[in-house]
Amino acid sequence: MPTEIDDRVELWRRELAWRRTVVVLDNAASSEQLLPLLPVDRGSVVLVTTRARLFGAELGAPESLGVLSPAEAVRLLEVTAGVDRVTAEPDAAEEVARRCGYLPLAIRLAGARLAHRLSWRVADLAHRLADGPGGISQLAVEDQTVAGAFATSYEPLPEPVKRLFRLVSVHPGDHFDAPMAAALADLPLDGVEVMLDDLLDQHLIEEAEPGRYRLHDLMRHYSAELSQAPDELRDREEAAERLLDHVLHEVANRAASLEPLALRAHLRLDPPRRPDLLDASEPPDVEWLEQERSNILALVKFAEQESMHEHGWRLARAMWRFCYMRGYFDDILIAHRSGLTAAEQCGDQAAQAVMHNYLASAYTRTGSYLDSLRHLEAAVSISRLLGDHGNEHRYRANLVVVHWLRGDLVRSVNLGRQQFRERPGGSAVDSIRSLPNLGFALATMGRYDEALAVHRLHLFLGRCYGNQYHISNALGHIAAVENRLGHFAKAVRLITASLQLRERTGHRFGEAEARNDLGIAYRHLGMLDSAQEQHKMALELAGDSGERHVQAAVWNDFGTTLAARGSIDEALAAHRRALELATRIAHPYEQGRALVALADHLGDDELEQARRYRHRALAIFERMGVPERHEVRRRLADDDRAGPGPLRNG
C-alpha cells in the first residue's frame, strides 16, 4: 500500500479501471473527501450517502430521501424487533413508528431497544417515546443514538446558525417562513435566509415548499433538548414573544382589508417590534392567512400555555373575519375559547366581551343557540358595564339572528327595528352587518316586501363601501326572497352572480345557502338534475363547516326535489334527517317544514300519522307566526272533511 496519497489514488483508480464495480461511499462529510475516490473510467457506479448537501460538478444529481411510509416503518420495526412481537400489538407498533417520525435510524434503534428488553411490550416503548423531556433518549443502543447522528450535522455549524436551529423549535406550528425565523432570532432577514440554507444543507430542517420550512418531529425534540440551560430558556422565552408580536402584526395587516375599522378598534395594537419583517411580506393578500391558518391556531394555544395572554386573544380576534367568511367555525371556537381564557387571565374586560361575541358567532352557525345566547348576553353585559355603547349595540344586533333561528320572530324583528332607531354614542348605526339578520326574520314571517327592501339596502351599502363580501351575500339573500315570491329565473341570475363573486374573492360564507336556493329555483324551473346537484354541493359545504341549521334546511329542500323526481322513499329519508337535525339544535322552523313534508309524502295507509305530523307542524308555525300555518290549517281541514279520526278535534 503506497504511503503517499497521490500514489494511493492512482492505485485505487487503476484497480477500478479493469473492474465492473458498485462503490458505496457512506456518510461523506464533504466533496473534497469524495473527489479522490471517484473512478475516471467507465464501468463503475458510485453511490454516496451523506447528511449534508454536497456540491461539485463531478458529482451526479442529489436525491433527498424522505422518511418511510407508515407501512414501511412498521415492517422495519418487525425486522428489527421480531415479527410476532410487533404484529401482536399493531396499534402500539404504529404509534412507535409515528413517534419515531418514520425515520429509519430511529425505528431501527427503537426495534433494537425492544429486542434487548424481552419483558417490554411494544406499548411500553410507545409510552416511553411519548412527547415530553427525554423521549428522544429512548432511541439509543450502546453508543449509537439518534441525538448523536443529529449532532454530527449540528456540531460543525457556526454558533449563530446553531442558535437559530435551537430557536426555530420554539414555533409550535407545522412550518415557518424566513421572517418568522428572523423574528425568533432577532436578526436581519437576509442573514437569516443564508443561515436557513446552511441548516437545509445539513438536513437539520426541511423545505416544505419554496420559502416555508419545517422541523422533523425528532429534530424538534433534539433542538429543544439543546436549550435546557437557564440562559437558553430565557432566550427561548424572549424569542416566543418576538414571534407572537411579528405574527400578530402580520395577521392584522392582512385581515385589515376584510374589516379595517372594527379590527383596529378591538386590537388596540402597539407598533410592531420588527416593521422591516412586515415590509418583506408582500403582497399582503389574505391567502397567506389560509396557508398559515393551522399555525396561527397553534400560536393562539401556545400563547395561552406560555401566559402571553395579550397576544393570545388578539391573535384569535385578528383571524375571526377570515375564518367566518370561509366557514371555519370550528377554528373560531378553538381560537376564541383560548382567547377568552387569555382575556380573563389578563383582566381585560373589553377583550372578554369581544371574545364572547365572536364565540357566539360560531355557536350560532353550528346550531348551539343557547351557548350563543349565553355568550352574547355576557358581551352585552360587559359592554354596558364599561359604558361602551358602540359595542353594546353591535352585540345586541347579533341577538337578532339568534332569536330568528330559535323561532322568536317577533322579538327578532322588534330588536332589529330598534337597532335602526338607536345611535350609540351619537354615531351612525353600523347597519351593514345588522341588515341581513333583520331581512331573514322578515322573510320568514312572510313580510317579503320589507325583507327585499332591507336586503337591497344591504346591497346598496355593500356597493358604496366596495365590499364584495357584503355584495355577494346581499345578492344571495335577495335571491332567497325572490324564490319565495316565485321569481325563479330572477333568483338564478342573482345567485349565479353571487357565486361568481365568491369564487373571485374566496369568500365561502353563505355559499351553502346560496347553492341550496339555486337548487330550489332549478326545481321550480323543471331542471331537476341541476337542482339535485346543487343540493348535494350545499350539503357538502354545510357539512364541512359544521353548519347544522343549514344542513337541516338543505335536507328539507333536497327531499322536496327528490319527491319531484318521484323518489318518495329517498325524500322521506331526507326529511327525517332534517327533522332529526332540527330537533337536535332546537330549530323550530325546519322542524315544522320537515313534519309537513313527511305528512305530504306518507302513503294512504298512514293518514293518521300524517295528521299527527301536521298538527305538530301547525303548533310550531302558529307559535312563530309564519305564513306556512295557513296552508297547514287548510290541509288539516281537508283531512277532517275526508273522514273522522282520533285527532279530529285536536
Side-chain angles (χ1 to χ4, degrees), residues 349-563:
Q349 288 186 299
Q352 292 170 40
V354 169
M355 293 296 100
H356 280 299
N357 178 61
Y358 294 114
L359 270 172
S361 73
Y363 279 125
T364 299
R365 296 301 297 184
T366 54
S368 300
Y369 306 136
L370 290 178
D371 286 322
S372 182
L373 273 177
R374 176 169 56 86
H375 283 288
L376 282 175
E377 287 168 354
V380 169
S381 176
I382 293 171
S383 299
R384 188 172 293 151
L385 181 67
L386 296 174
D388 184 355
H389 301 298
N391 276 322
E392 179 190 345
H393 177 89
R394 176 189 293 266
Y395 304 149
R396 286 174 61 230
N398 291 333
L399 285 167
V400 174
V401 72
V402 180
H403 294 320
W404 164 62
L405 288 167
R406 297 186 72 220
D408 196 345
L409 300 183
V410 173
R411 188 176 183 185
S412 178
V413 169
N414 288 343
L415 180 57
R417 292 293 190 194
Q418 182 182 346
Q419 295 295 106
F420 285 105
R421 294 194 294 270
E422 294 178 356
R423 299 176 68 84
S427 64
V429 173
D430 185 13
S431 57
I432 194 167
R433 290 180 176 82
S434 55
L435 283 167
N437 301 341
L438 176 59
F440 299 151
L442 288 167
T444 307
M445 294 182 77
R447 294 160 64 172
Y448 302 132
D449 289 343
E450 294 174 76
L452 279 176
V454 167
H455 290 314
R456 284 170 178 157
L457 178 57
H458 181 205
L459 176 62
F460 171 74
L461 292 174
R463 293 184 66 182
C464 288
Y465 298 153
N467 190 309
Q468 293 186 323
Y469 166 73
H470 284 291
I471 293 172
S472 64
N473 283 330
L475 289 170
H477 299 155
I478 293 169
V481 181
E482 296 291 359
N483 263 345
R484 287 176 174 263
L485 291 170
H487 305 154
F488 304 115
K490 185 175 183 180
V492 169
R493 292 194 298 272
L494 289 166
I495 296 169
T496 301
S498 173
L499 292 173
Q500 288 173 345
L501 271 178
R502 284 179 164 88
E503 182 69 26
R504 187 185 311 160
T505 60
H507 299 164
R508 308 304 299 271
F509 173 74
E511 183 177 346
E513 293 103 312
R515 292 200 176 276
N516 187 52
D517 287 329
L518 187 56
I520 294 170
Y522 282 152
R523 180 178 71 238
H524 284 282
L525 293 171
M527 303 165 61
L528 297 182
D529 288 342
S530 297
Q532 184 166 322
E533 180 183 358
Q534 293 300 322
H535 293 315
K536 287 181 177 179
M537 292 175 66
L539 280 174
E540 182 177 352
L541 288 166
D544 288 345
S545 61
E547 296 175 278
R548 291 183 290 178
H549 73 282
V550 180
Q551 292 175 56
V554 178
W555 277 117
N556 269 329
D557 291 310
F558 190 15
T560 305
T561 297
L562 288 167

Side-chain angles (χ1 to χ4, degrees), residues 88-103:
E89 298 180 72
D91 293 341
E94 290 176 6
E95 179 66 7
V96 167
R98 188 184 72 81
R99 294 288 183 184
C100 290
Y102 308 111
L103 194 68

